[in-house]
Amino acid sequence: MSFANFLDYHHFPVYSIMVLFLGAFLIVLFGKNKFMRNLLAFLAVSISLACIVALVKPVMLDGEIIAYWMGNRAVAGGYAIGIALEVDALSLFFALLISTAVFVSGIYSLQYMEHDNNVPEYYTLFLMLSGGVIGLVLSGDIFNMFIMVEILTFAAVALTAFRNKAHGALEAAFKYLVVGCIGSTCILVGIIMLYAQAHTLNFAQLSAVIPGNMNNATKLAFALLFVGFGTKAFIVPFHPLAADAHGAAPASISVLISGVLTKSGIYGLIRLTYFLFQTMNLGTFQFLLVFIGSVSMFVCVTMALAQHDFKRLLAFHSISQIGYVLAAVGLCTGLGFSAGLYHAMNHTLFKGLLFLCAGAVLHQTGTTNLDELGGLSKKMPWTTGLFLVGAFSISGLPPFNGFASKWMVYQAAYQKASETGNIGFLFVTLIALVTSVLTLASFVKVSQSVFFGRLPAKYENVKEVKGGMIFAMCLFAILCVVTGLFPSAVTKYLTEPAARAVFSVVNYIDAAMGTGYAASAMGENLPVVASFNFNELGYWSPISWLLILCIALLAVTIVAVSGKYDKVSESSEIADSKYDLFFGGEKSVYSQVGGGDLFWGFKHNWRHYFSFMHDLHSGIVNDYSLWAIVALAIVTLFIQIVL
Amino acid sequence: MMTIVLTALQYLGYILIFPGFLFCFVIGMLLCGIDRKIVARMQKRVGPPVLQPFYDFFKLCGKETIIPAAASKTTFLAAPLVGLAALVVLQLFIPIHGFSAFSGMADIIVILYLLLIPAMAAMLGGAASGSPYAGIGLSREMVTIIACELPLVMVLLAVGKVVGGDAVTFSFSKIANYQLANGSLITHASLIPAAIAMLLIIPGETGNHPFDTAEAETEICEGLLAEYSGAPLAVYKLTHCVKVLTLTSFFAALFLGGIGTGIVVVDALILVAICIVLTIVSISFVHAITARLKIEQVFKFYWTIVTGLALISLVLAWYGL
């Protein structure tokens, strides 16, 4: 084999997984040296990212589906025995998100983790986690998916407890371990049942064979797999785990848990519902996904309003945004898929940015308690600015990326409602829009209580974080703005190919099993490729909009400045009481005016709801395990009843 | 080359003069002046001259701008300007009869979000001042926004459904064209509750009586504006006036389209007349006969009565009545 063969892009999927695992093992061996460790970690994440990016052209643009058989053990006698990687546009789309998040988080870690103990172990676990997730989305084999799920779950559990002296870290990791294991077990049992029915583990072959073998056992397998991947995506009712895990984990790991782990769950759900079980009655899937998505959206955003910890708050928002993804994907239209995947990408970007900002605050002040912090904007101007970019993105203010994707989600749901005449989908649009405003409200609270407001005396000496961390945050922020400004490019080159891949199951099967296999194996079950349009209902042209806003802003500023707007009087060395804040005439220490609860009017009207939610989120792992089992029972019943 | 320059000048004219800044400035101030006069007359007072908002504005501009020692200066000063610019941009997208300065660049969902930016800017500016009163004002402003948002969304969805029929639309120009062809949407029976809801939303969005809990002067010293003085305060006052214009003309574009002649100047005058009437109906009358509500009452009012009205419209529109 010549050297040029190694650079054939068909090998890139396996390289991108391999370098991460290889990096993990090399760091165990050579990680005592700081320079060596950082170099190895950086090389691993950047080579992996490069391999994935190099695949964009053949897979996304040319529409090739890469089926890669380990050791060349391809299909023999109609059975796919070998270990396979299969990369279509959907896999690559998720791999791209994941490796970008891993790359930025890796850069951030270099400075963020330097004062921690056991840094080599951190990088080992970090790379195991990353390799696990990329392996999961590129795998063409359901059992390997399970192995990757196990690797990533255990790496994530260990990383959650990494700062095990911190309050609650071990508890969070334990909860995650218990419920994560319930999820993994569900996946394993589901796979076993599928294997018993279809006698194969290859994803493509399963997709072809299952439609002919639809019976109670496969339906139960579906329910098990659904719940299993649901725990990985932390959708309701598994959201309390995410809150605990994010609260305890280092910020760079929160980026991975929110931007990467949840994506692996979403990926699993899409593969499960639209590939393995594509001939089941799609209407019921829609109901299930859209319903869970809407509930996740709303429940988690209200939970976020009640939080007092920066990272826990972000964790609930993370699940709330995942709800948008799930609801949009469940619509099962071209626009819906495109919107859902777009939002999944944006979720990785803005959530990553926000968690890194929270990490920066934690790194400099030692706390993420919203009630203790305040006034950091004067001390940490970069972090404040970048946080605002993230906050505007997640709340969907134009022209940031959250707006573009949420706009598509609203449209997709509304279009679906008017096409099917089902008023239920209308409420999805409604819930999505209201959730968006509640998200904005929640981030106003964070900016008020962390970056603006009064600076407590103990933070007088806080400094801005170091350049490397700012650089990592800037990468995310730039991506947030770029993907918001060019939505048509994003949809055309990234999300639409991925959405089309979901609707072309036959190509996926044929790429692995040989042309014509799908037609012969599936017979009358062969899915008709649904025609779908990407037509949008409204107009949104961010570049021209931004241009107009800039001109308007410039005009206002010029007029204002020429009118001596910037001629202000500021406090100087000589104390003058006119620069003090107004406290109703009292000295500030005697003032009765508190910041109070930011959402009092809202919470007062909803007090029964909030106290109900408070009781429900008991924080006891037994309860959460029970929820998982109840969810499994409900999904099983649902499948049995509707099919 | 010449045509490019001319087009650029034309668009610049749109942004700066009509229907941009100058138009917003003059008409917005005028609406507020009329509002104050009418309220005063209804309360048997003489009231200020109609031009009083102009006098206030220029007087404020000449005053000293004090930046509190605890404030973060950039955000504190930039926030009022961003809010004003966003509102003016919003005004550019609202069609006046057949004329619209920039069509095909945004739809009603964009407008929904643009409406949030001035409030957002005011909140960040208030937060940046470090005042505890601003903290309370901020929380109340936020709750008011949440309260208004749900019915507003429902109203827009109902309008989109009526205009689009089976092919639902979010496009503003389609709404304008539909009304040009079929007459005002207010004549559409199913949209009458939505129009009433929208009339009730206007004072909430602009922060007028009785929904001005966020700025309650006697109680929390104007909340978000507690630490503002001089020119930035003047900009906030102007923003409030422009918001009155924006929301009333938004109402006019949604429900009272199709009234006009096709000559832009005349149509603009008609729009101003409509806005004056709407201001009197939805802001002045309500102001004169009510007392300020508590914040939880504001929330409850919007999420029960106003949302109920909007929901009736939405369901009626959905079933094609």
Side-chain angles (χ1 to χ4, degrees):
Chain A
M1 210 158 82
S2 72
F3 181 70
N5 265 350
F6 284 105
L7 292 178
D8 181 3
Y9 67 80
H10 290 95
H11 296 298
F12 284 2
V14 75
Y15 292 164
S16 68
I17 304 167
M18 211 166 63
V19 287
L20 292 170
F21 286 132
L22 197 63
F25 291 115
L26 287 179
I27 282 175
V28 176
L29 291 179
F30 304 110
K32 290 286 174 227
N33 180 329
K34 186 183 168 193
F35 173 77
M36 199 63 192
R37 177 172 76 215
N38 288 352
L39 182 74
L40 280 171
F42 180 76
L43 278 180
V45 294
S46 35
I47 293 174
S48 172
L49 177 66
C51 287
I52 298 289
V53 170
L55 284 173
V56 167
K57 188 178 176 300
V59 175
M60 285 282 185
L61 307 183
D62 304 343
E64 185 181 342
I65 297 175
I66 298 174
Y68 186 88
W69 299 91
M70 298 281 194
N72 259 341
R73 295 178 59 152
V75 184
Y79 271 95
I81 308 288
I83 297 172
L85 297 181
E86 187 159 6
V87 187
D88 65 348
L90 182 71
S91 302
L92 189 70
F93 179 79
F94 279 95
L96 201 59
L97 302 187
I98 288 162
S99 50
T100 311
V102 166
F103 178 73
V104 178
S105 173
I107 290 181
Y108 186 85
S109 303
L110 297 182
Q111 285 182 346
Y112 183 68
M113 299 303 294
E114 64 188 353
H115 301 306
D116 279 73
N117 297 327
N118 304 334
V119 186
E121 284 82 345
Y122 168 83
Y123 279 114
T124 306
L125 289 165
F126 177 92
L127 293 177
M128 293 288 278
L129 173 59
S130 315
V133 189
I134 293 190
L136 171 70
V137 298
L138 296 184
S139 173
D141 181 319
I142 196 165
F143 191 72
N144 276 324
M145 275 175 95
F146 170 71
I147 291 174
M148 294 300 176
V149 162
E150 287 289 88
I151 292 175
L152 69 88
T153 307
F154 281 98
V157 168
L159 283 167
T160 300
F162 187 74
R163 288 182 171 164
N164 52 19
K165 294 208 173 57
H167 176 71
L170 284 175
E171 190 193 337
F174 180 68
K175 285 181 197 166
Y176 191 3
L177 183 67
V178 171
V179 182
C181 280
I182 293 177
S184 301
T185 312
C186 286
I187 295 178
L188 182 61
V189 176
I191 291 171
I192 291 169
M193 296 186 76
L194 281 185
Y195 187 60
Q197 296 299 314
H199 312 297
T200 179
L201 289 168
N202 185 281
F203 214 96
Q205 195 172 12
L206 275 176
S207 308
V209 174
I210 285 179
N213 278 326
M214 195 58 87
N215 53 30
N216 285 339
T218 40
K219 283 180 200 166
L220 182 59
F222 171 82
L224 287 162
L225 287 167
F226 191 91
V227 172
F229 284 116
T231 56
K232 303 302 164 196
F234 296 120
I235 52 179
V236 170
F238 309 112
H239 58 286
L241 299 175
D244 288 340
H246 283 295
S252 47
I253 295 309
S254 293
V255 173
L256 294 194
I257 294 179
S258 130
V260 167
L261 270 184
T262 52
K263 294 302 161 337
S264 71
I266 293 290
Y267 172 83
L269 288 175
I270 294 178
R271 277 277 181 235
L272 177 69
T273 47
Y274 291 100
F275 284 75
L276 278 186
F277 288 81
Q278 80 276 26
T279 49
M280 280 170 79
N281 183 358
L282 280 175
T284 53
F285 286 161
Q286 279 166 18
F287 178 76
L288 203 58
L289 288 178
V290 173
F291 180 75
I292 294 175
S294 310
V295 170
S296 299
M297 244 188 258
F298 189 74
V299 167
C300 291
V301 83
T302 49
M303 286 303 296
L305 289 175
Q307 299 305 315
H308 294 273
D309 184 89
F310 198 172
K311 288 174 80 185
R312 282 181 72 89
L313 181 142
L314 290 180
F316 279 114
H317 278 299
S318 177
I319 311 307
S320 168
Q321 302 302 314
I322 285 297
Y324 278 89
V325 178
L326 213 56
V329 162
L331 294 172
C332 190
T333 61
L335 188 60
F337 259 100
S338 199
L341 296 176
Y342 197 168
H343 200 68
M345 179 182 83
N346 293 344
H347 174 265
T348 303
L349 299 177
F350 55 60
K351 213 70 228 183
L353 175 57
L354 290 168
F355 273 118
L356 294 187
C357 290
V361 170
L362 176 66
H363 196 255
Q364 300 306 96
T365 63
T367 180
T368 49
N369 189 333
L370 292 175
D371 302 332
E372 285 178 21
L373 291 162
L376 290 178
S377 65
K378 292 185 102 168
K379 304 289 172 191
M380 304 173 73
W382 278 91
T383 309
T384 310
L386 292 164
F387 169 80
L388 286 179
V389 171
F392 292 155
S393 297
I394 193 175
S395 340
L397 286 186
F400 297 98
N401 59 1
F403 178 76
S405 53
K406 284 185 185 178
W407 181 74
M408 284 167 72
V409 174
Y410 308 144
Q411 299 210 341
Y414 204 47
Q415 196 182 40
K416 182 80 182 177
S418 56
E419 273 171 11
T420 56
N422 185 345
I423 200 166
F425 291 111
L426 193 66
F427 289 98
V428 178
T429 309
L430 215 60
I431 291 176
L433 272 158
V434 171
T435 302
S436 180
V437 176
L438 292 173
T439 309
L440 180 67
S442 176
F443 278 94
V444 168
K445 168 180 169 168
V446 177
S447 51
Q448 152 80 1
S449 45
V450 176
F451 295 106
F452 299 115
R454 285 161 81 192
L455 181 73
K458 60 180 167 177
Y459 300 130
E460 276 304 327
N461 299 320
V462 168
K463 298 252 175 2
E464 182 60 278
V465 290
K466 283 189 193 165
M469 285 160 76
I470 292 180
F471 175 71
M473 291 192 268
C474 282
L475 280 181
F476 270 142
I478 291 168
L479 285 172
C480 277
V481 175
V482 169
T483 50
L485 284 181
F486 302 101
S488 51
V490 172
T491 47
K492 187 174 169 204
Y493 296 118
L494 294 177
T495 61
E496 276 182 26
R500 279 183 207 285
V502 177
F503 288 86
S504 38
V505 185
V506 174
N507 295 350
Y508 184 82
I509 296 170
D510 284 354
M513 304 299 296
T515 314
Y517 180 83
S520 63
M522 295 167 86
E524 81 275 20
N525 288 323
L526 196 68
V528 183
V529 176
S531 69
F532 52 97
N533 56 17
F534 290 101
N535 290 340
E536 283 151 6
L537 305 169
Y539 302 99
W540 170 229
S541 156
I543 296 282
S544 24
W545 179 84
L546 190 68
L547 197 67
I548 299 172
L549 185 69
C550 286
I551 294 173
L553 196 57
L554 200 66
V556 183
T557 314
I558 289 171
V559 172
V561 170
S562 64
K564 302 210 168 55
Y565 185 84
D566 54 342
K567 188 171 172 292
V568 294
S569 40
E570 286 181 86
S571 56
S572 56
E573 297 294 309
I574 308 147
D576 185 340
S577 61
K578 80 174 174 182
Y579 298 113
D580 293 346
L581 292 174
F582 179 65
F583 280 93
E586 303 277 348
K587 278 190 171 173
S588 65
V589 281
Y590 303 122
S591 168
Q592 296 302 309
V593 189
D597 186 346
L598 274 167
F599 302 108
W600 191 80
F602 177 70
K603 280 191 193 157
H604 178 75
N605 279 298
W606 284 56
R607 57 194 179 279
H608 301 301
Y609 171 80
F610 276 109
S611 75
F612 173 68
M613 281 317 226
H614 184 266
D615 294 345
L616 220 51
H617 294 77
S618 58
I620 302 169
V621 68
N622 306 25
D623 288 359
Y624 296 157
S625 313
L626 190 66
W627 289 9
I629 291 158
V630 169
L632 179 62
I634 290 174
V635 175
T636 312
L637 272 177
F638 181 79
I639 297 289
Q640 290 296 336
I641 291 166
V642 298
L643 286 178
Chain B
M1 188 62 210
M2 199 58 201
T3 49
I4 295 176
V5 174
L6 278 179
T7 322
L9 275 179
Q10 186 193 0
Y11 282 116
L12 212 57
Y14 286 155
I15 295 172
L16 296 182
I17 299 166
F18 174 82
F21 276 110
L22 201 62
F23 179 74
C24 291
F25 178 78
V26 175
I27 306 298
M29 290 280 192
L30 199 66
L31 289 177
C32 284
I34 292 172
D35 166 48
R36 286 175 69 175
K37 192 76 182 172
I38 299 279
V39 172
R41 297 306 300 157
M42 286 182 73
Q43 296 173 338
K44 298 216 169 165
R45 289 185 283 118
V46 178
V50 173
L51 295 182
Q52 188 63 40
F54 292 95
Y55 305 149
D56 290 349
F57 179 81
F58 288 114
K59 177 109 180 179
L60 272 177
C61 285
K63 295 280 186 189
E64 183 186 14
T65 306
I66 295 172
I67 305 218
S72 39
K73 188 181 162 191
T74 324
T75 320
F76 186 74
L77 285 179
L81 299 182
V82 174
L84 181 61
L87 260 187
V88 171
V89 172
L90 206 168
Q91 187 69 31
L92 292 175
F93 292 132
I94 295 179
I96 302 172
H97 193 57
F99 168 81
S100 92
F102 297 95
S103 61
M105 288 181 189
D107 60 17
I108 44 180
I109 299 187
V110 182
I111 290 190
L112 201 65
Y113 277 89
L114 276 181
L115 264 177
L116 287 175
I117 293 183
M120 184 76 197
M123 282 189 276
L124 285 183
S129 72
S131 161
Y133 290 108
I136 302 173
L138 183 149
S139 74
R140 293 181 176 189
E141 177 79 26
M142 203 61 248
V143 174
T144 314
I145 290 176
I146 298 173
C148 288
E149 193 70 10
L150 180 66
L152 184 58
V153 169
M154 286 181 163
V155 168
L156 295 181
L157 292 182
V159 170
K161 177 66 187 168
V162 167
V163 171
D166 283 339
V168 184
T169 187
F170 285 146
S171 151
F172 223 142
S173 50
K174 276 192 191 144
I175 294 174
N177 291 337
Y178 178 88
Q179 299 190 67
L180 285 180
N182 303 327
S184 300
L185 281 172
I186 190 97
T187 58
H188 212 283
S190 63
L191 286 184
I192 290 174
I196 298 171
M198 187 70 197
L199 277 181
L200 290 168
I201 291 168
I202 292 175
E205 285 275 345
T206 55
N208 273 73
H209 232 66
F211 309 112
D212 61 342
T213 27
E215 293 184 2
E217 297 88 345
T218 44
E219 192 188 336
I220 53 168
C221 319
E222 297 221 46
L224 294 171
L225 308 182
E227 292 297 333
Y228 274 101
S229 56
L233 184 60
V235 175
Y236 271 127
K237 296 285 177 195
L238 175 61
T239 308
H240 172 252
C241 295
V242 177
K243 220 173 193 181
V244 173
L245 170 68
T246 309
L247 280 158
T248 46
S249 53
F250 188 37
F251 181 94
L254 282 182
F255 295 107
L256 299 172
I259 303 172
T261 56
I263 309 164
V264 177
V265 181
V266 181
D267 288 338
L269 288 177
I270 294 175
L271 176 71
V272 172
I274 292 176
C275 287
I276 290 172
V277 174
L278 287 175
T279 310
I280 292 171
V281 171
S282 75
I283 295 179
S284 309
F285 284 2
V286 179
H287 181 172
I289 58 173
T290 53
R292 184 182 301 130
L293 295 175
K294 289 190 216 163
I295 185 65
E296 73 268 24
Q297 292 169 329
V298 172
F299 185 81
K300 202 169 183 179
F301 176 76
Y302 276 107
W303 275 45
T304 51
I305 295 173
V306 184
T307 305
L309 284 170
L311 187 65
I312 291 172
S313 256
L314 188 58
V315 173
L316 287 179
W318 194 259
Y319 293 107
L321 296 171

